[in-house]
Amino acid sequence: LGRPYAVRGEVVRGDQRGRELGYPTANVPTDGMQAAPADGVYAGWLRRLDTGETFPAAISVGTNPTFDGVRARRVESYVLDRTDLDLYGVEVEVSFVDRLRGMTAFESVEALVEQMDLDVARARELLVP
Ligand code: FMN
């Protein structure tokens, strides 16, 4: 393709759970118009289309099977080290550089967070020189 696959969209409010987990995420819903990559976890980049700023991110694609409730698939980006970013309503482009693993339904929130720690460390190795 010559460059990483990317999806675009406006950041919407999620379930507000990410903040409690220590990894707040910018959620972009997937619609019928553009395909998201297969469910799983990726390292990639989030670019704000309003300012052009680009940030390294750990990205989750799926329905968050660890938690109850039927939900639409979404693309969730945790911008590394930026728990302060407020991206609600901002148009972003999320590009997928490396696939890290498949989506997992964990037995506990602790197990999910432990794996997210590893995902974030791996994304950092891959993206930040
Ligand atoms: N959710 C899962 O159910 N299973 C996973 O394996 C999983 N991996 C994730 C990996 C990363 C790097 C990130 C950022 C999220 C992952 N998630 C996974 C999604 C979290 O469940 C989700 O971000 C959290 O519930 C917050 O959701 P909210 O933004 O709607 O509040």
Side-chain angles (χ1 to χ4, degrees):
L1 296 174
R3 61 189 160 92
Y5 185 73
V7 299
R8 283 184 181 211
E10 184 179 324
V11 175
V12 301
R13 230 159 258 279
D15 298 331
Q16 310 288 311
R17 195 189 299 116
R19 223 158 279 280
E20 290 162 35
L21 302 182
Y23 293 109
T25 53
N27 297 328
V28 175
T30 60
D31 57 28
M33 297 302 292
Q34 54 186 351
D39 285 8
V41 179
Y42 298 81
W45 301 94
L46 178 142
R47 183 161 64 93
R48 296 180 69 131
L49 298 185
D50 58 348
T51 64
E53 285 172 288
T54 302
F55 306 95
I59 307 156
S60 161
V61 179
T63 57
N64 299 353
T66 301
F67 302 94
D68 293 334
V70 180
R71 298 203 340 192
R73 286 176 84 223
R74 56 171 64 156
V75 172
E76 295 196 16
S77 305
Y78 166 68
V79 174
L80 304 189
D81 306 323
R82 294 299 300 269
T83 49
D84 59 313
L85 271 186
D86 180 1
L87 294 171
Y88 292 127
V90 174
E91 289 279 338
V92 299
E93 181 179 79
V94 178
S95 48
F96 301 86
V97 175
D98 283 292
R99 180 174 168 89
L100 303 182
R101 64 178 173 91
M103 186 48 44
T104 307
F106 285 97
E107 297 289 336
S108 68
V109 174
E110 292 70 31
L112 168 63
V113 172
E114 218 167 276
Q115 181 59 54
M116 288 171 79
D117 292 343
L118 298 174
D119 297 334
V120 167
R122 183 77 186 119
R124 194 187 306 283
E125 282 173 12
L126 290 165
L127 300 169
V128 187

